Amino acid sequence: MNLGKTVLSLAIGICCISAGTPATLDSVDVSRDHDRYHVAADTHLDAPPAAISKVLLDFDDDRYAQISEIYKESGYLPPDTDGTPLVYTRVEGCLLFYCRSMRRVERLEVVTPNFIRSTALPERSDFKYSSSEWTLEPENGGTRISYRMDMEPNFWLPPFVGPWFLKRTLLRGAPTAIEKIEYLAQHIGENGSAHASAP
């Protein structure tokens, strides 16, 4: 697993798409300001917002591994002191002979049914800063997803893992999390859980 791809996958939750599927990645922008990376992406999925939201919020029992193989652990933790849900994820990736595991503990806020925000707790994460926002809007029988993320890793990255490299990795990667999110959302069980096995 490529470390640059892992970092971007962790940040954005999607790597690429395969042509000919209803899921479409319409735009992606990656930039860097000193040590902080900024990602913005817009995509369309052939599933309703409520179902996609259920998939994105389904951290229990390591189920994020259904979305991407980089996720080795995921789950809900006891809530923060103010009652805000906390989630834990751990991903793994390698670049040549350099491999590492990356942890995040995040405050998870469902601001509205169609707006999800997560903010990492630096003291419990491998990131000095990490914040992401998902906006889900109905569109043509499916969902328009706008994703915005800012992150500053608390670990070394090779100099060439910059915006150009990360964007190229995003657009050229293999079978993707975006398709799996769509598939899981289309197969939400009768109890509203996203427990279907992704292809």
Side-chain angles (χ1 to χ4, degrees):
M1 177 66 67
N2 180 288
L3 182 60
K5 179 179 176 181
T6 300
V7 170
L8 189 56
S9 298
L10 171 64
I12 198 170
I14 55 178
C15 296
C16 67
I17 61 169
S18 296
T21 65
T24 55
L25 182 59
D26 294 326
S27 65
V28 59
D29 181 67
V30 182
S31 61
R32 183 174 66 188
D33 183 8
H34 298 288
D35 293 329
R36 186 164 294 188
Y37 292 84
H38 311 278
V39 177
D42 292 284
T43 185
H44 175 90
L45 270 66
D46 188 22
I52 293 171
S53 179
K54 286 185 172 68
V55 173
L56 295 176
L57 296 174
D58 192 17
F59 288 88
D60 276 334
D61 301 322
D62 301 329
R63 283 197 285 271
Y64 251 57
Q66 295 182 104
I67 294 176
S68 174
E69 64 181 8
I70 70 167
Y71 286 94
K72 304 306 180 184
E73 295 180 82
S74 69
Y76 280 93
L77 301 175
D80 209 349
T81 53
D82 63 356
T84 300
L86 294 179
V87 294
Y88 169 78
T89 55
R90 182 178 67 85
V91 303
E92 292 180 355
C94 297
L95 181 61
L96 297 178
F97 300 108
Y98 174 67
C99 299
R100 68 165 297 119
S101 178
M102 292 163 274
R103 304 167 299 114
R104 281 198 305 185
V105 173
E106 300 172 279
R107 289 170 54 91
L108 185 64
E109 302 173 84
V110 182
V111 182
T112 70
N114 290 355
F115 182 60
I116 302 168
R117 178 169 54 217
S118 64
T119 307
L121 302 180
E123 67 276 12
R124 302 175 66 179
S125 305
D126 291 319
F127 294 83
K128 295 179 182 178
Y129 180 84
S130 178
S131 177
S132 58
E133 296 180 348
W134 298 84
T135 303
L136 315 177
E137 297 292 344
E139 180 185 68
N140 298 329
T143 302
R144 162 70 46 189
I145 299 179
S146 296
Y147 183 85
R148 303 293 181 265
M149 182 281 306
D150 294 319
M151 75 163 184
E152 184 176 345
N154 194 23
F155 50 87
W156 177 82
L157 283 175
F160 63 82
V161 183
W164 177 84
F165 178 85
L166 293 178
K167 184 172 182 177
R168 185 187 67 172
T169 301
L170 174 71
L171 296 173
R172 293 186 179 181
T176 69
I178 189 174
E179 294 172 325
K180 293 181 180 180
I181 291 172
E182 181 181 73
Y183 178 86
L184 291 167
Q186 291 172 341
H187 294 80
I188 292 289
E190 292 182 359
N191 61 355
S193 59
H195 293 182
S197 296

